[in-house]
Structures are given as C-alpha cells and as structure tokens.
Amino acid sequence: MPLIPEEPQIHESAQGPRATPASGRTAPTPRPVPGPRPAAPSRPGRPGPHRPAPPVQRAPREAAAQPGPSGPAAGAAAPAAPQIQLIPASAEGALDAAEEAVDLLLESGRAPGDVLVITTGEQHPWAAHELSFGETSYWAQHDAGDDVFYTDATVADRAASRPVVVVAVNGGAEAAAASALSSAHSRATALLIVCGDPQRINSVLGTSV
C-alpha cells in the first residue's frame, strides 16, 4: 500500500541538523517512540556517552486488545504492525538521514540495543569496518544485542527483531530495496523509519510490505 510521507512533530529537546531532500525542502525529522529506558553505552563509532533526555510515557500507535469470548484464546491479541515514518532524502543523503534518526532515537531514551539499521546500497562504515575482522566477530556483536547494529539488505534476513528498524535507501537495485523493506517491516516491533526518495519507496512498499 503506498505510503504517504508523514510530517511528525519534533520533540523540543531534540537538537541537530535535519536531512534535506533532493528538492531542497527541509526533511521532516522522525518522531521516535520514546519510552523509559536505562542509560546505555555509546553507539558504534560515536565517542562519548549519550545522555538521553528524560523519557516521556507515550502510548504507541498499536491496536488495543479487543474483548473476546471466554476460552483458551480469550485475552490474546494479534501482534500490532509497526508505525511507519518516512524521511525524504536523496540516495546520497539517505545514510546521513538515517544517522540523524538514530541520534534522535537515542536522545529520546531508546536503548542502542533497540535499534537495527539496514542499508540498500553501500554498507554503513561501521559494518564495513567490523566485517573486516570476520563475520563471526561481526555477528557476535549482533547477538549481544547491546548496541545499534548496522547491516545491509543482502544479509538483513539474518538479523533478529528489534523495537526500531531504520532503513537507508542509499542506492542498490530495486530488488535490494524491496528485500530490505520487507525484512525491516517483519523485524520492527514498534517503529519502522525509512529514509530515501518517497516516489521510489512508495513503489517498493506497494509490492514488499
């Protein structure tokens, strides 16, 4: 189903530049789903500890459980689909937009281990660096689940579910973008943020999600 770009509100405590789409218009910055989280170590490749803003209790946009008849299935609720946010950006600026989205997520109180970042084109520099030491070490960091993890569309199916998944549509074939968005949608349990060209994303979302 085509996705209409949202204009999410920006939390007043969030600072920093925003991604600028190819049209020259300032791109809307995603409003992550904040929640109470303990302080966590800094994200890969970013020196210094993060100081999350005081968490704010907000109800996620999830379907509430509906009362049903008594019996074994009574009280069970179907898993809610993640909220989807689109950040318009060119292929060249998609990775930077994803980085800014991750910064805002951490500043809002999200734990680094809650976030998975998937690229459709060139690998994120952190992923390329860590893979230089071998896949065993790279995936061991994923399994530890205590930091932001960066991967690409070709191996995204190997990643586990996380509350927030950020996709940077930074190039690659249409098949790679479709694969990344499909993997991201199935792995995001609360929020899916997609950074890239809206027209391309809408065409891909229509067949992959």
Side-chain angles (χ1 to χ4, degrees):
M1 175 172 71
L3 175 67
I4 300 175
E6 295 187 5
E7 294 290 342
Q9 298 177 357
I10 303 172
H11 196 286
E12 293 180 359
S13 63
Q15 301 291 329
R18 302 179 187 175
T20 302
S23 64
R25 182 174 66 87
T26 301
T29 306
R31 185 178 185 179
V33 180
R37 297 291 187 279
S42 61
R43 52 190 292 215
R46 294 295 180 97
H50 285 275
R51 297 184 178 179
V56 179
Q57 290 282 3
R58 297 186 190 276
R61 294 170 57 183
E62 298 178 355
Q66 298 296 325
S70 59
Q83 177 185 349
I84 303 177
Q85 293 180 357
L86 170 62
I87 303 177
S90 65
E92 294 76 17
L95 194 56
D96 286 340
E99 284 285 275
E100 291 181 14
V102 172
D103 285 339
L104 283 173
L105 287 163
L106 299 182
E107 289 169 7
S108 73
R110 277 285 175 188
D114 284 354
V115 185
L116 171 69
V117 180
I118 302 174
T119 57
T120 65
E122 185 178 356
Q123 287 182 329
H124 185 279
W126 180 87
H129 174 75
E130 294 302 321
L131 280 169
S132 69
F133 298 104
E135 289 198 5
T136 300
S137 172
Y138 172 73
W139 287 105
Q141 296 184 62
H142 164 273
D143 296 339
D146 57 3
D147 218 334
V148 180
F149 189 76
Y150 298 84
T151 188
D152 64 70
T154 62
V155 292
D157 286 342
R158 187 170 171 180
S161 296
R162 293 198 177 190
V164 184
V165 179
V166 181
V167 180
V169 185
N170 61 331
E174 290 297 316
S179 174
L181 289 170
S182 178
S183 295
H185 190 266
S186 64
R187 282 159 178 73
T189 60
L191 178 64
L192 170 60
I193 299 174
V194 185
C195 306
D197 176 67
Q199 184 174 358
R200 182 183 185 193
I201 291 170
N202 279 328
S203 66
V204 173
L205 281 174
T207 58
S208 65
V209 177

